[in-house]
Each structure stands twice: as C-alpha cells, then as structure tokens.
C-alpha cells in the first residue's frame, strides 16, 4: 500500500474511533475530585487522631510502566489497572507516605519518612506564617520604627535551605515588603528584618531587626492596567482569529492532533505532565512511541547575594513550593490566543479537600508564519517550481507563578516529528533595597546591579531540569554520542588539507552520559538499537539544545550539593520508577542525598534498556533596568527531533493548504 | 510630562506625519529600475567597446554614513545627497569597478581590480555553461554509455574554489543530475563526470569521466504537490486571519510599526538589508538608533567529501552566487501568512538591464501565542491579580534559494526592543550516489550517511556571517564583556561557600573581541559609553546567542583561509565603509586576502568609536533520513536585546488589548 493511501485510511480510522469512542479512561489519568475526596477520607480515617493531619501531596500512584503499556496495547480486553492514590502528609511532626487503594478504600502502605528534608509547603501554612509575622509585636514595632504602615506590609515565606547544620526543624523565614501605592510590592522590599516561623508548631521562633534601609519608592512600579493613570494605546491593529473548531480532539486527557497523540495531565507537584506521546507513521501504519513521560522535575534558582537576609535564597521551586500547586489559571486571549482550548486541574488543600484550578492548561495551534519545508527550483531549463508547506504546531501550555517569577512552560508538537520544549521567564526579579541612586556611588560588592533608584537587582541563575523518559519506538533505547572530529588529509588524498568525520559511540554507563554542552561538535541522540530503518540506521531522536549555560557555584557548596543536577546539561539514567525528581522527593532543607547526581554515581548500564534523559536548561541572569518593575519574557529551550526515526521526511506528503481554506 | 502622555503624543504625531508625509525618499533607497537602466547606459557608453560587457553587480553607491545621518536629522532643510551607482563588470577579461554619478550621467571612477578572485556569477553565464556541458559530445556519449536519456539530464555550475594554485582562470565545474520521473533531480546525481567551463571564453576546457555509479531511483523523491499521486489530507482545520489592514506603514522603504522604524532594501549582492533601525523612547520623546545596518555578509558551506567531484564544494554562497540574485518571489499564504505585505526588488541581468523580483520581501505581524510579560499576584491577602500582555512582533522576510538549499532569512522586531535574527534551512541536501542499499555494506569512509537507497547525504556545515553595524543610541560605541566569575566565600562572610560576581570589561582592540562562544558564562554587550541612564548605567544592547557551533577545518586549509570568519562567533571591528563582506568582495576563487580575519589582524582600537559586530551563526549537518528527499526546516539564530538602553521596561505601559478587538 503506498503511504498516502495508508494515511487516508489512518485518518478515516481515527475519525471513526473518535466518533464512536467512549473510553475516556486511561490508567495515567489524574485523580478526579471524587477520588481526591475519597483519598482524604481514607487517610483521615486511617490516621484517626485528634492531632492535626496536613496534606502536602496527593496524586495518582501510577501503575507500573509495563502494566500501562500492556493495557494500552490490549485496551478493552484487559482488566482496568486498579486506581491507587499516593499521599504525603504531616502528622505529629512526622512525614507519612501513604498508598491508598481506592477500590477497596484501604491504606495499602504507610511509610514514615525519616530521612532529611521536608515535603512541599502548602499554601495554608505559608499564609498562617505570614499572618503570624505581620501580627508579631516586635515586627509591628520594627515597622513603626521605620515609619511604615503595618496595613501596607505584605510578607512572603522563604525556605531556609541547608548550610551544613547537623539538626533541623521545619522552619521558614519570613521577609516583608511594602504596598502603599503599588501592587508591585516586590519592588519595595523592607530590608534587615527576619522572622523565623516553626511550621510544625506554627509559632514565631526567631526575630531579628538588623538594619534599616529606606524602602524604594512606589512610583513607576505599578503594572496593573486599571491602576495606571494613562496606559498608552498600542497602535497595533493586528488581530488573529482561529477557526472556532480546533483541529485537535480531547478524549479525556488524551490529545490527538495531526499525526501526534499524547496524554496531558496536571500533577500537584510536577505541574504539567506529558505522557505517552507517540506519532503516527504512515509507512508502518500505526503510532510509534517517542516520549513515555516528560515534565519539569526540578527548578533551582540560586541568588548570589551573601547578605544575611539573602544568602539562603537558593530556591528549589518545584520541590519546595510545588510546580503544580503554584500553577495558575490562564487568561483566555491573553495567556493563550483566541481559539485555545482549556483544561482544568485538581489538587488538594492542606486539609485534603479537593480544589480545582480552572483553565490550568491551554492547548492551541500555533501558526507563527514559519515554514515546514520549501524549495524553489529554477535549475530545470524553462521551468519554475516553488513548493511551500507552511508550519503549524500544537502547543500545550501551563504558567507557574513562584512568588515573584512567572514561568511559561510550553510543550510544542510539530508535524515533522519535533517536540520543542520552551520555558519563558517573566514576572518580577528579586531586588534588594539600598541607598544608591547612582552607579558611581557603589564602591563595594553589591551582588547585583542598580536597576532603579535604591534598588539592586540580584544576580541569580535559573536551572530547570526536565525529566524525559524517552521511549523511542519502544522502551529499550541507547544513548549515542556522535562526535565530529577534524581529520587531516593524508598524502595526496585530496587538494584539501582537512575535513571532519562523524563517529558514533553508544554510551555504556551513566558516568559517560553526563555532558556539559558547549560549542556543538557532537550530536546527541537516543536510539532503539533493536529497530532499524530499511537502510539499517537505528531509529532515533536527537537533542538540539538552545543557548547553553553551566553552573558557577563550587561543587562543595551546600546549594550546589542539593542542586548538583545543574552541573551537567545532559544526564542519562536507567529508568527507575522511584527516581522522579532531580532534586529529590523531599527538597525543603534537603542535603542532596536523594538526587540525580547521587543516583547516577552508581554508574549503571544504560545500553539497550529503558533510559531517561534529564536535561538541564539554564539561565544566568545579571539584571538590567529593562527588568524593572516587571520583566519582558526571556525564553530558552531545546528540541527533540527525529533522526532516522522515519524512512524519509514524514511531512513530504503534507498538503500545502489546510482543509477549511 | 509623564511617559504615557508622551507616548500618546508620539502616536498622534506619528499618525499625522504618516498621513501628511510625501517624502518617500531616503538616501539609502535602492536604485530604481530607471536608475539601473541609466547606469547600464552610462557604463556601456563609457566602456564603448565591441567586446562584450557583462554586469555582475549594480547597486547604490551609498553616501557616507555621516552624510546620511546629517540628512536624517535635518531632512528637508538639507540638500538631497547625490545619487550614485556602483557597478562591477567584466570586460575583455578584466574586472572593472565603476562609480557612476546619476545626476551628471558620468562615470566618476573606473578601477580595474587586479587582485585574486572574481565577481559574483550571473545567471546567464551559468545557464550558458550548463548548455555547453549538456551539448558537449563527450558528455552526451558518457550519458549514453550509462543508458541515460540526455533530455532528462540537468546540470549545475559549481564554483571551483582555491586550493593553493598559483594561477587561475575564471572557470567553473559542471555536475549533472537526472530528472526522468521526478523534479527533484538533486536526489539523482550522476557521479563521476566533470565538465570544466571557462566563463570568459565561454567554452569547455576540461572533461573527465572517471567512474560509473548507478543513479539513485526517482521513486519517493517527488515533492511537487500536483505531481504526487495521492497527497494526504492534513486533518488540520486551523486557519488564522489577520485584519485586512496591517498595523504597520510603509513610507517608501521605511517601515514603521509600534515603537520601531527601519529602512528595508533589497541588494543584488547582500539580499535583504535592514538599515537605520531605531526605537521610540517615550521617556526621551524621540527615536533612538539601534542598528545602522544589518545583513548576511557571507555564507560559507563546506562539504566534507574528499571525492574528486566533491572536494571543492566549499561554497561561499553570498559572494559567489549572490544572496540577492538568488532571492526568490515569495508565495502569499505559503511563504508568509495571510495579511502579509510584499515589496518588490530590482537588480540587473548580465547585460545590465533591470529585472524585478516581485514579492521579494514580506512583512507580517507575528502573533505566535507568546507572552510579552505577565504576572499573577496571590501574595496580597484577599486579592488576586493577573496581568498579561500578549506578544506581537513584526517580521521582515526574504527566502534565498542557492541551488539545492533554501534559506529563510528573518529579521523580527519586538515591542520590548529585541531584534531577533533567524535563519531557517530547508530545501535539499546534497547527496552522492553510491552502491549501498544498507548501512552494513559500508566499510570505508563515505563522508556522510546513507539517507536513501544508493544515496549518501554528505556531512557539511553552514556558517552565516551577519554584518551588524550597531549604533547604540549614537555611533560611538564600545564592546563590553561581562564575565561571571565564581568566588569562594572567605572566612565567616556567609554560611555559603561560593557565589558568582559579574565583572565588566571594555574591550580595547579587535584581537580581544574575537570570541568563540560556548557554555555561556559571559554576557556580551554593545554600549554607548557617552550616554548613561539616570542611574549611571551605560546604555546598551546585549547579544543573546542561540545554539552555538564552531569550525572544524584546520586553520591552514584553503577553504578555511577563505572562510576564516567562521573561526569565531563574534568579531568586532571599527566601522570602515570598505569592509562589507566577511569573505571579501571578490569571493569566487578568492584566497582569503580581503576578509574579516585579515582586516581584524590590524588590531585596531574599538573603544568608544563606531564599531561593527560580525556574528557567525553555524550549523553542523550530519544528514538523516528525514532530510530526504526534502528537508524539514532547521532554524538557528540570535537576539539583540536592550540592556540598560531604557530607564525601565519599555512595554510596562503596553495595553493588554489591541485597538480593534
């Protein structure tokens, strides 16, 4: 059968299957609100204590990968894998890990975690801590001493990190800011005061007022449109309209668009999770797997300011604050273009009760005016051909707001098989108040740059680690480094003196798979060594990095021990269900013991087996005045592009026009 | 006056000025068809010979930069700078450089170039050479010997480069391909035969039939939609519509959009040229210059195959074949989205007669669903704010087709002040025919990879050098390297052990401005040391590289001597009107004597003066099966982003909605 015909049949089949399908269920589907409620009730019944139980994570306890894969291949012929929930709670000063069987309404296991580190903070305890601080009499007095109105003071909780202490309590530090004329309190830090709150006891356990620094002015910091005196007209008339009916379908959590299908779910810890991404191959007449699972596994944001109130600002946003918990509702026609389709997400509050985040995802088709492929042919005498296929892609977006910073997390699926992953950084930089009104007044190291009057933007990094469990046409994969090497011409082999050759090497173990990227003279790819094209090439995908950044902290520094995944851009490990987060499961006050860098030290074999790519996307940020008072988006990312995955260009037969034109 | 008010006044002024303006003239405007005709006639009259005169370049001889700048600042009060043309012709075996005064219809200067290298090939001589080859009896016999139909043979001209020869003639080599069942002849090379043609004598001067290799099959190579048996339906329904009236204006060659204005022109050699890009600053109440001039100054594409018919394939596409000459007409709603605005370009044929390329440029507003800036604020008790400003940008596009490869050249202007420069690579890879049908049969070095049956995709590089005459708020600029350096904590300064600081250094001379980029631990910026923000920061722009690639050929190799600009990603030189092309003015058979690498060796001062950034964007290409028979677009690029250029975020006051919504 020729491939265009196969493709037609595929779409026919696909259409019928969507039209007749009522299997909205997938074993990876996130817990529903009623399952979350059920989990809460089972856990509370099990603990059965007069003491407070606080929930820090509830999510699906996923069936084993092989069970999911069997289910997918057999579908209705196989019994549905049982639904189980995984919960992390605090009770009586201890962290419990509970697995709950929802069919039997019973707790299957209850493990008390005794290692270092604490679970993700929940919103309620942070709010309580802030309230404690703002009503704490010494703090009230400190504000009065500075002539600040206490009702205009807003406080934020800061994780305290770990700096070699032997013992630790579950504490956070509270730092305060000033509103009084602006919503943008981040630009008005109140320096010199630290309130320490014990979260288990929920009381103030430390207070220090060290120094008075004038609060930077409110003028010019407001970004809320309705509060601006006279926002200017942009003279842009451009308006884009998508057809009312999107050309993708949502079948439960499964998205189908063009030749792609994938499962999209919201998780309270990880946020946006892409699973089971596979692409239809008309030559093979079926879907072929690419990515079993992808999500941001950790975010490491160390600031470079050694001041007493600043040195511990080395945030692990995902583990400490929760990427899912901090994901917000998207604003239609602002966060996503007109015509986008939205999905809700569910999580639980401190008491285990479900809460819905409306519009936590958007899905939209991007038509940015790019070109899928083209050629103009003038080489044939008397003829002129120009063939162009415009590019359209599908974007799945979430936006995380981690206090000051907003992260736009996009997974973009392209017709030619590429998955493009991007992170956009916007929101507010963290600033420190200082006396300076001019650069020339600065004679000491201030750990940043003057971005406004009396306002220092602190130098910092962002490292996002992406967990990418690639299953390139099956789960037994290998990691291949193709090195481009300069060769000298020998003798009179050629009038040239040099050329380069590409030599491929399969990486055997984890230690050789740790790579710091630089000026690219190698190609990194993930292949299935058991599946070859007709020409004998191993089917694969290659990694195309964007702008590359490496770490600058020393290996022995405490933040770097915890965020050691930032040392390399690329890590490859054998798949292990328990290795989910590059910075570990319990990151608040962690000591780096349960992290990617430690797991990888075992130097396991990664050849021809189920392997995981961990990609670290980094940014060094030296702030500039344009970043004040709110920062224009800065974007970074990488691509996974098919490399001998297909027998030929998979969009060769794409039509130049879309159906509805 | 507060800035929103200033901005309102600006738009009012702008509107009036556009509405009442009839000064379509700008001293940088390209030569009109009638000026090109006039130039032809003047040159032909001046040479006044029975011998053939061939034109290889005609373009505006630009007024000196200071004259242009004076004219711009005074406009109608100053006399229009005289219009002059610069022409490169061949006559009687010599290369002439002529400057023509169009007002007086006279030749001001006639310089006979006696250095190495020849001017850009014109289409007509390449066509003639191909015709000579296809009718050359030994070639006809060679085709018959292979059982190939001569009427299905198509030939292409290949520049011969320079490999240490003492003497040279103006020759090219002709290689042939086979149609017979496909338009995509590039996938059907006829190996082993070389025809050498002397272009001045226009006769065959060499012929060699060295080896017979079967021609790869036509099946599966066709990309012309109307010739495909059954192109599949894409099931994408998405359609985007731009408002019928674009929100930019074209005033002659001057484009105004949002806060940007720039001059866009087509040049026969350089292709797309952006000049006088400046951005409106409401704080200053006027436009501030950013980029005096930007264009692709050279493209260097060395192949890594040492075979007799391949070793010399080290193309300098811009200088040898002409970026402008090879720019094609854009196809509406394919090459550029609906609603795009098109501009024509003019150049001359071999006989000096003007020819118009319709729709050589397109301008369109890109709304890719990106976010200009955003923030969600949940930190203020009882309040929730979400503010989002969607991103829109303006793209100026040309597409170059250099035989097999198509390059999509975009200059994208963003509201927040960023200029994003991208090159998309598509079209056909160069392949060599070989006997192999399976990878395992390959036992020797084949300089590439098997991409289809009997088809080797050759390893190669693409280096695009961009000339960027930055005039950051004036023409006296400096180049500043800000290095991020790890510091160890001393004593009990902090519980931490390390941090990094950013140390800026102004680069004094050219030698220290040659930079090979890698894992980014420095920020490169261009500042005006004479203009400072109120806070005392030098106003500047910074360079944000994308994926970075370096050269792999040895420094002493002939192609690398000619393309030495590829050795570094960044070069900075003092502005010099004569230094326009990184590979020199006469590139065909050049010896690298008149190139960026040579000019830069003088190690001139680059501090606080008019300086030029030369940025090399590179790609290493190891072909894969997906690249056959036509390659999905691969994109690379870089950004220039304001860094303390503005007092604060220049889009802080952007409205969340556009006017017409």
């Amino acid at each position: 059968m020729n491939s265009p015909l196969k493709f037609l049949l595929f779409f026919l089949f696909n259409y019928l299957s969507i039209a007749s399908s009522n299997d909205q269920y997938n074993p990876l589907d996130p817990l529903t609100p009623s399952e979350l409620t059920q989990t809460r009730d089972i856990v509370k019944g099990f603990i059965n204590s007069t003491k407070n139980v606080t929930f820090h994570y509830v999510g699906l306890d996923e069936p084993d990968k092989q069970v999911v894969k069997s289910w997918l291949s057999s579908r209705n012929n196989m019994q549905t894998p049982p639904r189980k929930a995984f919960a992390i709670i605090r009770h009586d000063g201890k962290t419990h890990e509970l697995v709950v069987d929802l069919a039997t309404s019973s707790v299957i296991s209850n493990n008390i975690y005794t290692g270092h580190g604490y679970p993700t903070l929940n919103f309620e305890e942070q709010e309580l801590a802030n309230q404690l601080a703002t009503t704490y009499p010494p703090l009230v007095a400190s504000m009065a001493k500075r002539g600040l109105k206490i009702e205009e003071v807003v406080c934020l909780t800061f994780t305290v990190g770990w700096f070699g202490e032997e013992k630790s309590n579950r504490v956070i530090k509270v730092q305060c800011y000033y509103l009084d004329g602006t919503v943008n309190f981040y630009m008005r830090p109140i320096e010199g005061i630290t309130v320490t709150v014990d979260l288990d006891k929920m009381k103030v356990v430390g207070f220090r007022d060290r120094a008075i620094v004038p609060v930077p002015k409110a003028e010019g910091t407001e970004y809320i449109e309705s509060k601006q005196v006279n926002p200017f007209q942009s003279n842009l008339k451009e308006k884009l309209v998508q057809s009312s009916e999107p050309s993708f379908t949502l079948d439960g959590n499964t998205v189908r668009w063009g030749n792609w299908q994938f499962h999209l779910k919201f998780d309270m810890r990880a946020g946006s999770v892409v699973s089971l991404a596979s692409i239809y191959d008309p030559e093979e007449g079926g879907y072929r797997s690419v990515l079993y699972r992808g999500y941001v596994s950790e975010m490491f944001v160390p600031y470079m300011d050694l001041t007493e109130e600043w040195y511990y600002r080395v945030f692990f946003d995902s583990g400490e604050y929760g990427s899912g918990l901090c994901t917000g509702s998207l604003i239609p026609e602002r966060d996503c273009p007109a015509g986008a389709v939205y999905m809700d997400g569910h999580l639980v509050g401190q008491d285990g009760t479900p809460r819905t985040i409306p519009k936590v995802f958007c899905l939209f088709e991007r038509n940015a005016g790019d070109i899928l492929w083209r050629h103009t042919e003038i080489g044939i005498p008397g003829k002129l051909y120009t063939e162009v296929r415009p590019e359209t892609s599908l974007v799945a977006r979430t936006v995380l707001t981690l206090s000051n910073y907003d992260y736009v997390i996009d997974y973009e699926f392209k017709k030619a098989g590429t998955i493009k992953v991007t992170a956009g950084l916007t929101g507010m930089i963290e600033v420190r108040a200082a006396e300076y009104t001019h650069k020339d007044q600065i004679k000491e190291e201030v750990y940043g740059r003057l971005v406004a009057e009396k306002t220092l933007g602190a130098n910092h990094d962002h490292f996002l680690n992406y967990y990418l469990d690639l299953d390139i046409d099956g789960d037994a994969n290998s990691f291949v480094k193709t090195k481009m090497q300069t060769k000298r011409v020998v003798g009179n082999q050629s009038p040239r003196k040099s050329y380069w050759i590409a030599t491929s090497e399969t990486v055997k173990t984890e230690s050789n798979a740790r790579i710091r990227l630089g000026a690219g003279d190698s190609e990194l790819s993930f292949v299935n060594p058991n599946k070859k094209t007709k020409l004998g090439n191993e089917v694969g995908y290659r990694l195309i990095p964007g702008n590359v950044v490496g770490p600058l902290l020393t290996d022995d520094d405490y933040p770097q021990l915890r965020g050691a995944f930032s040392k390399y851009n690329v890590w490859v490990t054998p798949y292990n269900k328990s290795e989910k987060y590059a910075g570990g499961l319990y990151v608040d006050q962690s000591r780096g013991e349960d992290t990617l860098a430690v797991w990888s030290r075992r130097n396991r074999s990664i050849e021809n087996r189920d392997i995981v790519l961990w990609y670290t996307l980094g940014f060094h940020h030296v702030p500039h005045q344009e970043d004040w008072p709110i920062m224009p988006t800065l974007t970074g990312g990488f691509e996974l592009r098919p490399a001998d995955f297909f027998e030929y260009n998979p969009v060769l037969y794409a039509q130049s026009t879309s159906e509805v034109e």
Side-chain angles (χ1 to χ4, degrees), chain A:
Chain A
M1 187 166 18
N2 75 22
S3 37
L5 254 180
K6 275 194 219 160
F7 217 94
L8 269 176
L9 284 176
F10 153 66
F11 282 114
L12 194 65
F13 161 80
N14 208 19
Y15 174 78
L16 291 175
S17 105
I18 291 166
S20 68
S21 164
N22 57 1
D23 78 12
Q24 301 250 321
Y25 174 77
N26 181 301
L28 298 181
D29 284 350
L31 297 179
T32 62
S34 66
E35 288 174 326
L36 291 168
T37 302
Q38 193 190 352
T39 304
R40 176 197 64 188
D41 296 344
I42 296 166
V43 168
K44 285 201 163 179
F46 177 82
I47 298 291
N48 190 22
S49 162
T50 54
K51 287 191 179 150
N52 203 21
V53 171
T54 60
F55 287 78
H56 296 264
Y57 176 81
V58 179
L60 179 73
D61 187 54
E62 285 192 2
D64 283 344
K65 196 168 164 178
Q66 287 317 318
V67 174
V68 175
K69 294 208 151 190
S70 302
W71 182 88
L72 282 172
S73 59
S74 64
R75 295 267 169 173
N76 299 330
N77 302 324
M78 183 180 160
Q79 212 184 339
T80 307
R83 294 286 283 175
K84 289 188 282 186
F86 178 70
I88 296 173
I89 61 158
R90 290 280 294 174
H91 173 250
D92 198 16
K94 292 192 176 67
T95 300
H96 292 249
E97 298 168 342
L98 296 140
V99 179
V100 175
D101 185 325
L102 294 169
T104 61
S105 283
S106 59
V107 171
I108 302 175
S109 76
N110 170 27
N111 178 46
I112 296 177
Y113 174 73
T114 56
H116 294 119
Y118 300 107
T120 306
L121 301 177
N122 58 47
F123 277 165
E124 293 83 348
E125 62 193 352
Q126 293 181 71
E127 273 175 40
L128 272 174
N130 291 335
Q131 276 172 34
L132 278 182
T134 45
T135 54
Y136 187 65
L139 182 122
V140 175
S142 286
M143 295 304 166
K145 192 168 70 178
R146 285 167 172 78
L148 302 175
K149 295 171 264 185
I150 190 71
E151 67 275 15
E152 298 289 337
V153 173
V154 162
C155 300
L156 296 178
T157 47
F158 290 75
T159 50
V160 299
W162 173 67
F163 295 89
E165 301 87 353
E166 285 285 307
K167 282 196 162 184
S168 64
N169 295 309
R170 194 159 170 267
V171 296
I172 47 99
K173 292 187 180 175
V174 177
Q175 297 286 339
C176 301
Y177 298 82
Y178 205 48
L179 290 163
D180 201 33
T182 184
V183 159
N184 194 352
F185 60 81
Y186 298 102
M187 296 304 114
R188 309 197 73 192
I190 301 166
E191 298 294 339
I193 305 170
T194 305
V195 184
T196 308
V197 176
D198 185 306
L199 291 173
D200 283 336
K201 298 181 180 132
M202 200 44 80
K203 60 184 240 188
V204 173
V205 294
F207 178 80
R208 180 157 149 88
D209 184 351
R210 184 180 64 86
I212 295 181
V213 184
V215 173
K217 65 184 178 189
E219 192 197 335
T221 65
E222 188 59 79
Y223 61 89
I224 306 288
E225 192 166 17
S226 61
K227 291 178 189 277
Q228 284 171 351
V229 181
N230 204 347
F232 64 66
Q233 293 283 335
S234 119
N235 68 342
L236 304 180
K237 298 165 192 149
E238 186 246 9
K239 183 163 163 60
L240 291 164
V241 180
Q242 280 197 312
S243 67
S244 54
E245 193 193 353
S247 51
F248 51 90
T249 60
L250 258 174
D251 181 17
N253 284 69
T254 298
V255 183
R256 293 191 182 88
W257 174 82
N259 43 0
W260 279 104
Q261 71 174 20
F262 58 93
H263 183 273
L264 187 61
K265 79 166 170 180
F266 174 77
D267 179 79
M268 192 171 159
R269 164 75 183 261
S272 169
V273 180
V274 172
S275 303
L276 303 170
S278 59
I279 188 162
Y280 188 83
D281 184 346
E283 283 293 309
E284 295 217 350
Y287 281 96
R288 297 168 66 197
S289 63
V290 177
L291 180 70
Y292 183 79
R293 177 67 43 84
Y295 55 89
V296 176
S297 96
E298 192 51 270
M299 300 163 80
F300 175 36
V301 187
Y303 285 79
M304 298 301 143
D305 191 323
L306 299 187
T307 311
E308 186 175 323
E309 295 80 18
W310 277 77
Y311 76 87
Y312 53 83
R313 300 193 190 187
V314 283
F315 304 110
F316 290 84
D317 283 316
S318 190
E320 291 175 343
Y321 295 96
S323 290
L325 188 59
C326 296
T327 300
S329 290
L330 298 166
I331 309 294
E333 302 194 29
R334 299 287 173 278
D335 277 315
C336 313
V341 169
Y342 297 83
M343 287 167 71
D344 297 344
H346 310 289
L347 42 70
V348 300
Q350 186 180 44
D351 66 354
T353 303
R355 187 165 66 81
T356 295
I357 307 178
K359 299 190 175 63
V360 78
F361 281 109
C362 75
L363 285 158
F364 64 91
E365 288 169 283
R366 188 201 295 275
N367 187 333
D370 294 327
I371 293 172
L372 182 59
W373 59 257
R374 85 173 312 284
H375 184 60
T376 297
E377 188 52 70
I378 58 163
I380 305 171
K383 301 277 173 73
L384 170 68
Y385 297 100
T386 302
E387 287 286 325
V388 189
R389 300 296 179 272
E391 173 82 287
T392 309
S393 59
L394 182 72
V395 178
R397 171 173 294 170
T398 49
V399 175
L400 282 58
T401 300
L402 291 143
S403 284
N404 51 317
Y405 256 105
D406 295 57
Y407 294 86
V408 183
I409 304 293
D410 283 355
Y411 296 90
E412 183 176 358
F413 295 85
K414 300 195 175 195
K415 288 190 272 187
T418 294
I419 302 176
K420 185 174 179 182
V421 180
T422 52
L425 279 55
T426 175
M428 262 65 75
I429 54 170
E430 280 198 30
V431 302
R432 178 158 69 85
E435 297 277 5
Y436 312 112
T437 54
H438 196 280
K439 192 188 174 201
D440 293 349
Q441 296 158 354
I442 303 175
K443 307 291 179 200
E444 57 179 349
E445 180 56 55
V446 293
Y447 312 114
R449 295 182 75 258
L450 202 60
V451 294
E453 267 185 37
K454 304 187 181 179
T455 309
L456 291 165
N459 294 333
H460 61 283
D461 300 318
H462 300 259
F463 294 104
L464 284 81
N465 183 273
Y466 287 85
Y467 174 98
L468 298 157
D469 178 5
L470 293 163
D471 279 9
I472 304 299
D473 211 12
D475 58 12
N477 285 182
S478 291
F479 174 49
V480 174
K481 257 193 259 192
T482 299
K483 179 102 183 136
M484 292 154 217
Q485 290 176 294
T486 301
K487 295 294 242 185
R488 278 235 162 237
V489 166
V490 181
N492 55 4
Q493 183 186 14
S494 165
R496 278 168 72 164
K497 295 186 180 176
S498 68
Y499 61 110
W500 56 257
I501 62 165
T503 314
S504 294
E505 174 209 354
T506 296
V507 181
K508 308 284 184 195
T509 63
E510 289 177 285
S511 64
N512 293 319
R514 294 190 283 254
I515 294 168
R516 198 179 285 194
L517 297 168
D521 59 351
S522 59
E523 190 170 288
L524 303 178
S525 50
F526 295 82
V527 303
N528 184 333
N530 315 297
K531 294 209 178 160
K532 291 181 179 169
T533 63
K534 289 172 194 151
L535 299 174
N537 291 313
E538 293 173 345
V539 304
Y541 257 71
R542 67 190 179 101
L543 171 70
I544 303 181
N547 189 14
V548 166
V549 154
L552 290 166
L553 294 180
T554 59
D555 286 346
D556 65 341
D557 200 0
Y558 302 108
Q560 189 60 26
L561 284 172
R562 301 170 67 211
F565 64 80
S566 62
K567 186 164 185 186
Y568 298 99
N569 303 99
V570 170
W571 306 69
V572 181
T573 62
Y575 172 81
N576 180 326
K577 197 183 173 183
S578 74
E579 296 173 4
K580 293 175 84 166
Y581 307 110
L585 181 57
Y586 299 102
V587 186
D588 178 30
Q589 299 186 44
S590 67
R591 303 187 180 184
E593 296 143 325
D594 176 34
T595 61
L596 174 57
V598 172
W599 309 327
S600 164
R601 250 183 246 150
R602 281 183 275 167
N603 202 20
R604 293 163 289 187
S605 165
I606 53 168
E607 189 180 3
N608 197 11
R609 56 188 291 185
D610 193 0
I611 54 177
V612 176
L613 161 64
W614 308 74
Y615 185 84
T616 306
L617 173 66
F619 301 83
H620 294 309
H621 194 166
V622 177
H624 290 282
Q625 288 186 234
E626 286 81 1
D627 297 332
W628 184 94
I630 189 165
M631 177 189 162
T633 307
L634 184 68
T635 300
F638 61 94
E639 291 184 19
L640 298 164
R641 186 173 168 117
D644 303 322
F645 187 82
F646 294 103
E647 293 288 338
Y648 56 89
N649 178 345
V651 286
L652 172 63
Y653 296 109
Q655 284 194 316
S656 64
T657 55
S658 62
E659 257 173 25
V660 294
E661 195 156 7

